[in-house]
Amino acid sequence: MSELNLILLGPPGAGKGTQAERLRGDFGLPYLATGDMLRTHVKENSELGQKAKEFMDAGDLVPDELIIEMLLERIDAEGDDGFLLDGFPRTVPQADALDAAIAERGRRLTAALLIDAPDEVLVRRISGRRVSQSGRVYHVDSNPPEVEGVDDEDGSQLIIRDDDKPETVKNRLKTYHRQTVPLIEYYESRGILQRFDGTRPATEVHDHVRATLATLRLEDRL
Ligand code: AP5
């Protein structure tokens, strides 16, 4: 089987991170999530973190030139065992930069996995989200930790993300519709878009993604 180069696409709160955690378990792919990388930069107060913070806190996208460089460096560092990208690309220039960079390295994208859900579901999801220091994702109703407010794995205190405030979420959704939705057509026209109903329970979404990847493999597209 050739390498799996996968993109997770979808609005904030659709369940990209949740599915990524499961898919990493299935395929052992290097996982590159631009949101997690940026939050680490913010925490460490790096130069990039300082620049990115104001955009993230406002629910806007961080400028393409900062993101593209950060991501491509990481893809190179991971070698050629495939990848699972979460939150990148998010604009047409980012998608073009990714296309060019991987073609230059003699690789190709396997599939863009779109996990979609209507805005009202997303707002409910995000308002109940809690995350651990290491990025594990919970939900107060649909996926609570064993002990309220505490990570199951390392016992650390769960927190609410800075950009999960209602006003910021509204702008993140607007930003998604304006800047990221065009990528659906972008990947559909290249024949690699796969759609998933993100309103279904997480286990069902995961089963559907796995079945789709298995079918692609049978069709010898992987
Ligand atoms: P990022 O961290 O990428 O956030 P996002 O895309 O807004 O996505 P989220 O992490 O909010 O949602 P998710 O789809 O992963 O949902 P989750 O699994 O947590 O980006 C943050 C910011 O960084 C951006 O706003 C931007 O400023 C910047 N940035 C990042 N990448 C960038 C880029 N490429 N260019 C420019 N700027 C960039 O699930 C949500 C909740 O729902 C959880 O509580 C979960 O438990 C629950 N849940 C999940 N699935 C289900 C289900 N099926 N049923 C019920 N509940 C579920």
Side-chain angles (χ1 to χ4, degrees):
M1 190 181 84
S2 61
E3 69 193 24
L4 272 179
N5 296 319
L6 302 173
I7 294 173
L8 276 168
L9 199 63
K16 302 181 298 295
T18 300
Q19 295 304 322
E21 202 170 317
R22 293 164 187 238
L23 293 171
R24 286 161 75 189
D26 295 336
F27 300 106
L29 290 172
Y31 173 56
L32 304 174
T34 41
D36 290 349
M37 290 179 201
L38 289 169
R39 281 184 285 278
T40 302
H41 276 282
V42 170
K43 211 157 133 194
E44 291 169 351
N45 202 24
S46 71
E47 201 183 324
L48 172 56
Q50 289 172 22
K51 286 184 189 154
K53 188 173 175 4
E54 63 174 299
F55 295 100
M56 296 172 78
D57 286 350
D60 292 330
L61 294 184
V62 174
D64 285 337
E65 60 275 17
L66 298 179
I67 291 290
I68 290 169
E69 192 187 335
M70 174 185 83
L71 196 271
L72 295 185
E73 271 173 14
R74 283 292 298 273
I75 287 185
D76 277 340
E78 294 294 346
D80 54 6
D81 291 336
F83 52 68
L84 176 60
L85 300 187
D86 174 359
F88 185 97
R90 251 176 156 101
T91 63
V92 171
Q94 290 181 18
D96 286 340
L98 178 65
D99 248 14
I102 66 168
E104 217 173 83
R105 292 157 178 80
R107 300 166 70 173
R108 68 176 179 92
L109 287 178
T110 314
L113 311 171
L114 170 66
I115 301 177
D116 213 353
D119 285 6
E120 61 273 18
V121 172
L122 303 170
V123 169
R124 264 201 312 276
R125 292 257 182 94
I126 292 176
S127 67
R129 171 164 52 194
R130 302 291 181 272
V131 293
S132 73
Q133 303 295 329
S134 52
R136 248 182 309 283
V137 182
Y138 297 86
H139 190 278
V140 290
D141 300 320
S142 67
N143 180 27
E146 281 164 24
V147 178
E148 195 185 325
V150 176
D151 182 46
D152 292 345
E153 307 272 319
D154 62 20
S156 66
Q157 209 62 31
L158 300 183
I159 55 159
I160 298 177
R161 259 169 52 177
D162 284 346
D163 60 348
D164 278 355
K165 293 187 211 98
E167 323 78 69
T168 315
V169 170
K170 243 192 241 164
N171 195 43
R172 284 166 62 199
L173 288 170
K174 260 198 220 150
T175 303
Y176 171 77
H177 289 293
R178 200 174 52 235
Q179 292 183 263
T180 308
V181 161
L183 294 185
I184 297 175
E185 166 57 25
Y186 185 99
Y187 288 116
E188 189 143 54
S189 68
R190 284 161 171 73
I192 61 166
L193 187 80
Q194 301 289 340
R195 293 173 187 266
F196 303 93
D197 180 358
T199 67
R200 308 301 303 161
T203 305
E204 226 175 271
V205 180
H206 177 220
D207 287 345
H208 188 187
V209 174
R210 270 196 316 184
T212 301
L213 292 175
T215 307
L216 288 179
R217 193 183 291 167
L218 277 178
E219 290 169 355
D220 209 17
R221 290 167 62 186
L222 303 189

